[in-house]
Amino acid sequence: MRVMVLGSGGREHALCWAIARSSQVDEVICAPGSDGIARVARTLPVDLASVGAVVDLAKREGAGLVVVGPEDPLVAGVSDALAGAGIPAFGPCADAARLEGSKAFAKAFMARHGIPTAAHELFDDPDRAEAHVRALGGPVVVKADGLAAGKGVTVCDDTGQALAAIREVMRERRFGDAGAQVLIEERLLGEEVSYYAICDGERFVPFGAAQDHKRALDGDRGENTGGMGAYSPTPVIDAAVERSILERVVRPTFDGLRADGHPYRGVLFCNLMIRDGEPRVIEYNARFGDPETQPLMLRLQSDLVPLLLGAARGRLPADARVELGEPAVCVVLASEGYPRSYPTGREIRGLEAAAAAGATVFHAGTARSGDGWVTAGGRVLGVTARGADLASACERAYAAVDAISFEGAQHRRDIAARALARPA
Ligand code: AMP
Ligand code: GLY
């Protein structure tokens, strides 16, 4: 079978890498892909913003399965259109993808189905939003309602920060129309985790958990980013917490979507805050996480493709299973200035040495230049390693990170550090 993956980032590199290992797969295509991904897949240009172009390409290439990496094509209805053309697509229909595409929709859905989340209010008028945060007077979270590549959220310690965030999102429109409405949310406390389940519309199988590091700087300081590193599994989720996540969040979400007439096919990614063992939903995503997918794929021992294909066809195999091996850690190397503007074209050195140190380096934003590589994105590389335990996975990942250099490179030194510091 020929599998086509849509996207071009580190997550898609990891997905292509895992899919290429399947015995069911003859060829992996990635559209548009990247120079880094071209090492494990045939890459083809496509405009992901055009659903029609994606469907035409999938037809022309005879794709037996299309795996959708990022959220925007899902929200635009690419899965519906592919299904209409008879091509199984891994990723939910547009109606179900609204769980990610509109925070206001997700909040209303959770309220309707009794799923625990932060208290919130929605505003389309900046004056009223400002009056609201002044009245609350404490730590809040300000969120642009629409899609903003994970960056439209400001976690505020005080009213001054909240007012600045409202100005940036609503008045200055840093995220364009995504800031036409804002949510002002209660700030949740606890440990943040990512939990994944693969769904075929009728049933789901738990895929596992990871912990992302969203802030730019060590100690969870600095701006929110798309994610600066991740590890899996996480000690925050023991068997009891996992049961509670499945019962209180995953099951009611899945059932709720079905009851609302939008059965979910694809990966349901629940971004959760865990406090005293109780999960609350920060947000839903309709796709795999980036960079969480990088350590998850490195851990995966079973074949990914029967799961993806089964979910896409609405029929997970009866014996569907997810076997995850040793812990893995991914450290993101990002460009100077990320998550704001950043330079590109800086020469990357040390990739061979990183591989020799035992890491798998997934490319997020790189380009070929002559015989070498240069930076071409905000997040540049996901340096990922496995180990007998989390500590050795971490050691191996950082040994590889230290082998790589480019001008202005930034990364966090404390990926997985909190997990390692936890009392056993
Ligand atoms: P979101 O795009 O909604 O996932 O928000 C991005 C990040 O902001 C999350 O991954 C959290 O780290 C943080 N965040 C969002 N909402 C809240 C909240 N209500 N309380 C605390 N942190 C939050
Ligand atoms: N790493 C978080 C996300 O993919 O949304």
Side-chain angles (χ1 to χ4, degrees), residues 11 212 214 226-227 269 283 285 287-292 379:
R11 164 185 52 209
D212 186 10
K214 293 271 167 87
F269 162 5
E283 66 159 1
N285 296 295
R287 38 126 191 125
F288 278 110
D290 190 343
E292 295 96 309
R379 290 188 289 181

Side-chain angles (χ1 to χ4, degrees), residues 119-121 123 132-133 136 140-142 166 182-186:
H120 76 285
E121 289 212 40
F123 297 92
H132 181 67
V133 302
L136 288 176
V140 294
V141 182
V142 177
I166 292 168
V182 293
L183 284 173
I184 310 290
E185 274 191 16
E186 162 197 10

